[in-house]
Amino acid sequence: MSRPFSTAMLLAAGLGKRMRPLTDIRPKPLIEIAGKPLIDHVLDRLAASGVEKAVVNVHYLAEQMEAHLAGRQHPKILISDERAGLLDSGGGARKALPLLGKAPFIVCNCDSFWIEGPQNNLEALEAAWDPERMDILMLVAATATSVGFDGRGDYHLDSAGLLSRRRENETAPFAYAGVLLIKPELFEGTREIFSLNRLFDAAETKGRLFGRRLDGIWLHVGTPEAVGEAETKIAQSMVE
């Protein structure tokens, strides 16, 4: 199956501090959920949606990541090496641009993980993409039905799909689910080290930051406790 977005960037270079002690001996993307490393859950979903190439950035315990990914055929894996220093989410994607190409691409956190609903979320996200109106289109999850998320939310989503970030003392009903579609030209003139949040805010200011609501249950696997919560929810979903 060929999809409109054939290339993805996986952000996998982080230190995984909130996952300690599980990340004392392995990088977070290699922590297993339901018998499979987190990064393989993401890559399998991308492959099933027709993504042909995935660029994975590495830093912490990079040799483990490279060894694990060496045998992967679908999607094809390219490594963006950040051993010299972490570049944050935006800087990591910026460094990988020569590998990603000039077309819009998918960005995934290595723990972008959910139980799929009736509609395939990657396919729905791609179908909603409109480059004439959008610079970024992100998958957002309802915080009320998410597992392992105890924050105050990230965004409000209006009826047209426009996103607006919550104010400091406010609560928002949606959280960024760790997957988005983005235009590479947004990285022009950016710094070597920066967060993708800068691009989110710039797109929002221009009225070009859009969201698509996740169909299913988002599993926010950010702490060791959340691993068990996610596995319990997966087991429940298989018998429902």
Side-chain angles (χ1 to χ4, degrees):
M1 182 194 308
S2 178
R3 303 300 307 165
F5 287 77
S6 61
T7 302
M9 172 79 201
L10 267 67
L11 301 173
L15 301 177
K17 292 181 179 180
R18 294 182 64 227
M19 270 291 198
R20 289 175 178 168
L22 297 181
T23 50
D24 286 344
I25 59 172
R26 67 177 65 86
K28 181 179 178 181
L30 297 186
I31 291 173
E32 291 193 357
I33 303 290
K36 184 191 296 187
L38 275 166
I39 195 166
D40 286 340
H41 284 284
V42 180
L43 288 169
D44 287 349
R45 186 160 277 154
L46 291 170
S49 294
V51 171
E52 299 168 0
K53 178 175 68 176
V55 180
V56 182
N57 64 348
V58 298
H59 171 81
Y60 178 60
L61 300 176
E63 293 79 10
Q64 287 189 36
M65 290 292 298
E66 289 180 320
H68 179 77
L69 296 169
R72 185 93 197 189
Q73 300 297 319
H74 304 289
K76 178 182 178 182
I77 302 295
L78 299 177
I79 298 295
S80 181
D81 196 329
E82 292 184 26
R83 284 177 175 86
L86 285 169
L87 302 175
D88 208 338
S89 55
R94 178 182 182 272
K95 183 180 188 295
L97 285 177
L99 301 174
L100 291 164
K102 297 182 179 180
F105 56 90
I106 302 167
V107 177
C108 293
N109 292 344
C110 69
D111 57 355
S112 305
F113 193 43
W114 61 84
I115 297 170
E116 201 83 83
Q119 190 171 25
N120 181 295
N121 282 287
L122 276 177
E123 293 180 8
L125 194 69
E126 294 171 6
W129 174 254
D130 181 357
E132 296 300 318
R133 296 188 300 139
M134 304 171 182
D135 285 340
I136 298 172
L137 174 62
M138 64 171 60
L139 191 65
V140 295
T143 59
T145 56
S146 297
V147 174
F149 182 81
D150 57 2
R152 301 174 65 182
D154 301 314
Y155 288 100
H156 299 277
L157 177 68
D158 75 8
S159 58
L162 277 167
L163 291 174
S164 56
R165 192 184 288 275
R166 71 169 178 85
R167 296 187 179 93
E168 184 177 353
N169 297 316
E170 193 177 34
T171 298
F174 292 98
Y176 170 46
V179 179
L180 59 83
L181 312 179
I182 192 169
K183 294 178 176 177
E185 54 263 37
L186 299 187
F187 293 88
E188 294 176 4
T190 55
R191 299 178 180 179
E192 182 181 9
I193 302 173
F194 76 100
S195 169
L196 279 172
N197 279 296
R198 290 182 177 270
L199 300 186
F200 299 168
D201 292 344
E204 180 188 345
T205 299
K206 297 176 183 178
R208 299 184 64 84
L209 177 67
F210 284 77
R212 172 82 186 191
R213 181 172 181 166
L214 182 143
D215 186 9
I217 301 172
W218 184 45
L219 307 174
H220 182 248
V221 188
T223 64
E225 295 75 23
V227 172
E229 293 176 10
E231 291 187 325
T232 297
K233 194 65 180 179
I234 291 169
Q236 290 175 351
S237 70
M238 290 180 176
V239 297
E240 289 176 353

